[in-house]
Amino acid sequence: MLGDLGTASLTAGLISASLTVPLWLRVALLGRSARQARVATGVTLLAAALACAVLETALLRHDFSVRFVAENGGRHVSGYDTVTSLWSALDGSLLLWLLVLCGYAALLARRRHPPRLHAYAMAVVGVVTTFFFALSALAANPFRSVHPAPVDGPGPNPLLQQHPAMGVHPPLLYLGYLGLVVPFALALAAPLAGPEGRDWLRIARPWTLAAWSALTAGIAMGAWWSYAVLGWGGYWAWDPVENASLMPWLTATAFLHTMLSGALRRARWNSVLACASFLLVLLGTFLTRSGAVASVHAFTESPLGPLLLGLVLLAVLASTLLAGRRDPLPPAPGRTPLLSRATAVLVNGVLLVTIAAVVLIGTVLPLLTEPLTGARSSVGPGYYQRTAVPLAIVVLLLAGVAPAVRRAGDRAAARQLVLPAVAGSVTVAAVGLLSRPGVPALVAFGAAAFTLTGLAGQLGSLLRRRRGVRTVRLAAVLAHAGLALVALGVAGSSAYGRAQERTVRTGEVVRVSDVSVRLLAVERSAGNGRMAVRARLALTGDGAERTVAPRLWYDTSRDTAVTVPWIATGLRRDTYVTLLSVAADGSTATVRLAVNPLVGVLWCGAALIVGGGLLGFATSVRRIRRRTPPSAPAAPPAAVQVTA
């Protein structure tokens, strides 16, 4: 019964999504009322919501006659993990993907934007929605029945049951990924809408800021999840699926900078960046859901790969034909000074796109070489550290330069950079003399000090303004300061992190710096489909002693072992204890002790970046509401023009 209802909801969603495209084109081409198109868009959202609700009900009821429940549900699974099981596997995650996509479509449908631009953009979103409904209904239907129905299921992947971030990280990523469909649709609609399309950047700004903020939060939450669950002591491994989330973030960041810069606001490459961001989302979807890459984050091999690759190629073709044909407005008269905000933004955008290209090459190249060599290869972290990291440090320096050169040709700009430059130089000299962390970390420390000092001056200037603080500039200061703190956290944890792995008997000690753990006992337990082993250790550090208990547990239904580290988090450093293995007789245990400095600074920096993005989003929404006139009747039919 539930399976039939779920399949019917997907079918209804596919039909209504298919209808939205001609209905919105009817509005754009013939100037008809958008009422029917909005109704169809709303029905599509209801169908996606119903499909998600039906699958959640089947999971909570343990209806193992539904294939997805039989493969990913289980009576031994907690209520929270049962609810989040919806997006724990490929078919169910597509339903959440559809729900978020249809939610964005419904929100965009309710806006009062220029009629033809709005209608063409909605038609683009409708095409994307129709494709993913077809994908879910025809190729990845989670509601197919199982005969005979099993008595119980294995539950979701044990790694996904180990941390509460499972309920937050994937939804945040989807909010970020799919929010980029709106600027993509507006960029494609602008040349078709003629003169109405000239204002598309102002309309795209709050959508891009909201999506970028959610994507930033999702990436940070994923790094924290990896750090807290996988047991290897790190937060970023340049994994192909991690890269798939980083690439659209980089191009979306470049897009935000160019659209917010007055000098470059109307440059042609705004359209290119808006399209590239969503194209990279689609490419990441292909990598994650096709089985093309081997990753702990990826879904298993599926038949969706060719279909998703086809969508990527179709989107590239549409972007090339539409966004690539836009004629830019003539440049402003006069020469742009070298030391100006426009130059800083231009260089920043080029660097961000270059980093995205470097990451793209490292991610995709092994897929291209596999058919030639017959073996699956991968690009290691060393490649990214030699290529992407130096470019990222230059981007960080520009984050400190740009606020000081806000006015093109300002002769005081160079003087404003003196104090940050001194702070950066002193930091490099002091850190280099005291600890010798290595050239990359040393440069990162100096760049972070340079940027934070410059931003502190900007913040003081903002707070001294008699007319109040300009929230747009405040948002930029927060985001750039967060970036500098992230750089500090990454450089500190990479340069000063220390770890020791050792097999010990009861009473023996593992020591790192001034922290040590002594094995007290090994304990075993079983039940609820799991066999667990725990090491009780006496941790000594910071003048105190406490008992900690990292664990290993084995999920019998999934035949998977999971490491559960013990972590003491602080702003200055983290203490990270992992139980790697235990002898069969319990006489010895292999323990890894790590001291990771400044990881807490990294999480604080990520929170600041998200806060800056959300503040910018709120400011953009307020500005649009103040400037948007009362809704006007739809424009009469007109010839399609391609213009800037």
Side-chain angles (χ1 to χ4, degrees):
M1 177 62 183
L2 288 175
D4 294 337
L5 181 58
T7 299
S9 64
L10 289 178
T11 303
L14 176 59
I15 294 172
S16 60
S18 302
L19 289 175
T20 61
V21 179
L23 287 174
W24 283 110
L25 288 176
R26 180 170 170 262
V27 175
L29 297 173
L30 304 178
R32 301 293 178 84
S33 170
R35 180 180 178 83
Q36 293 179 341
R38 287 194 176 96
V39 170
T41 304
V43 171
T44 307
L45 173 61
L46 288 176
L50 179 60
C52 288
V54 169
L55 191 55
E56 284 286 16
T57 302
L59 285 166
L60 291 169
R61 288 186 176 182
H62 305 303
D63 187 351
F64 297 110
S65 65
V66 176
R67 179 181 61 83
F68 186 86
V69 181
E71 294 176 354
N72 301 281
R75 301 185 188 278
H76 61 283
V77 181
S78 69
Y80 179 81
D81 291 328
T82 297
V83 171
T84 59
S85 295
L86 176 70
W87 48 86
S88 66
L90 174 63
D91 299 351
S93 71
L94 276 177
L95 294 189
L96 178 63
W97 185 276
L98 277 172
L99 181 62
V100 176
L101 178 59
C102 293
Y104 276 118
L107 286 174
L108 182 61
R110 292 175 57 86
R111 300 300 94 191
R112 293 293 187 266
H113 298 313
R116 297 186 70 231
L117 174 68
H118 185 213
Y120 277 123
M122 286 302 306
V124 174
V125 176
V127 170
V128 177
T129 306
T130 301
F131 174 85
F132 280 103
F133 257 112
L135 205 65
S136 184
L138 304 177
N141 187 346
F143 298 104
R144 292 192 177 98
S145 59
V146 175
H147 298 289
V151 177
D152 199 357
N157 187 319
L159 286 173
L160 305 182
Q161 303 178 49
Q162 193 51 48
H163 200 277
M166 178 58 184
V168 182
H169 167 57
L172 279 175
L173 277 184
Y174 289 6
L175 284 170
Y177 283 151
L178 294 167
L180 295 175
V181 74
V182 177
F184 169 76
L186 289 168
L188 295 187
L192 299 175
E196 289 186 10
R198 291 181 177 176
D199 204 28
W200 76 275
L201 278 177
R202 182 180 64 86
I203 297 169
R205 185 182 304 159
W207 297 94
T208 309
L209 281 165
W212 180 85
S213 300
L215 184 56
T216 305
I219 292 173
M221 183 66 69
W224 178 47
W225 188 2
S226 175
Y227 182 70
V229 169
L230 296 183
W232 61 292
Y235 42 79
W236 191 266
W238 297 104
D239 179 277
V241 179
E242 293 174 345
N243 295 347
S245 65
L246 178 62
M247 290 185 290
W249 185 88
L250 291 167
T251 53
T253 305
F255 178 48
L256 280 175
H257 282 80
T258 56
M259 80 157 68
L260 294 173
S261 170
L264 297 174
R265 185 175 297 167
R266 297 184 182 277
R268 175 187 295 185
W269 73 328
N270 277 306
S271 299
V272 175
L273 289 173
C275 293
S277 298
F278 190 66
L279 290 175
L280 288 171
V281 168
L282 296 179
L283 178 63
T285 307
F286 164 73
L287 294 174
T288 307
R289 289 172 165 80
S290 65
V293 296
S295 166
V296 69
H297 307 283
F299 296 104
T300 56
E301 189 169 348
S302 76
L304 304 185
L307 299 174
L308 289 168
L309 184 59
L311 177 62
V312 173
L313 297 177
L314 178 62
V316 169
L317 179 62
S319 302
T320 303
L321 293 177
L322 293 175
R325 291 175 58 189
R326 300 196 67 200
D327 295 324
L329 291 181
R335 185 177 62 87
T336 301
L338 179 62
L339 193 58
S340 66
R341 188 187 184 203
T343 302
V345 171
L346 175 62
V347 175
N348 177 79
V350 171
L351 287 172
L352 288 169
V353 172
T354 304
I355 296 172
V358 166
V359 176
L360 177 63
I361 292 171
T363 304
V364 176
L365 188 61
L367 304 180
L368 302 178
T369 58
E370 183 178 352
L372 301 177
T373 62
R376 174 167 291 189
S377 60
S378 62
V379 175
Y383 162 79
Y384 301 101
Q385 291 167 1
R386 290 190 299 269
T387 54
V389 171
L391 296 174
I393 292 174
V394 180
V395 170
L396 176 60
L397 285 170
L398 287 174
V401 170
V405 293
R406 287 186 55 81
R407 295 181 296 277
D410 187 355
R411 295 181 179 180
R415 291 195 298 271
Q416 295 178 22
L417 296 176
V418 171
L419 182 58
V422 170
S425 301
V426 170
T427 300
V428 169
V431 173
L433 290 173
L434 292 175
S435 61
R436 302 184 182 276
V439 174
L442 198 59
V443 175
F445 284 134
F450 172 87
T451 301
L452 287 173
T453 305
L455 292 174
Q458 290 296 312
L459 181 60
S461 176
L462 284 174
L463 296 177
R464 288 192 299 268
R465 290 175 61 95
R466 293 182 179 180
R467 297 181 181 179
V469 177
R470 288 192 61 186
T471 52
V472 173
R473 291 182 62 186
L474 180 59
V477 168
L478 289 178
H480 290 165
L483 178 64
L485 291 179
V486 168
L488 279 176
V490 171
S493 59
S494 301
Y496 299 118
R498 298 292 183 267
Q500 179 71 37
E501 179 181 321
R502 186 181 169 195
T503 300
V504 294
R505 296 181 178 276
T506 302
E508 293 182 340
V509 174
V510 181
R511 186 181 303 277
V512 172
S513 184
D514 61 337
V515 180
S516 65
V517 290
R518 185 177 75 258
L519 181 63
L520 301 178
V522 174
E523 302 169 348
R524 299 178 185 273
S525 62
N528 204 23
R530 297 179 178 179
M531 295 185 295
V533 59
R534 181 177 66 171
R536 284 201 300 113
L537 300 158
L539 172 68
T540 304
D542 296 325
E545 182 172 310
R546 70 184 93 177
T547 301
V548 301
R551 294 180 293 135
L552 273 172
W553 57 271
Y554 175 75
D555 189 294
T556 56
S557 58
R558 288 281 185 179
D559 191 22
T560 302
V562 178
T563 301
V564 184
W566 183 91
I567 307 170
T569 300
L571 191 61
R572 185 172 66 92
R573 69 180 185 183
D574 287 6
T575 302
Y576 197 102
V577 187
T578 311
L579 176 63
L580 300 177
S581 64
V582 173
D585 59 0
S587 59
T588 62
T590 302
V591 177
R592 182 180 185 273
L593 172 63
V595 176
N596 301 326
L598 300 182
V599 175
V601 173
L602 188 157
W603 309 133
C604 291
L608 267 184
I609 296 174
V610 175
L614 293 177
L615 181 59
F617 164 71
T619 304
S620 296
V621 169
R622 286 198 301 269
R623 287 184 172 184
I624 285 182
R625 287 178 177 174
R626 286 199 301 264
R627 296 179 183 178
T628 301
S631 58
V640 174
Q641 301 177 8
V642 178
T643 184

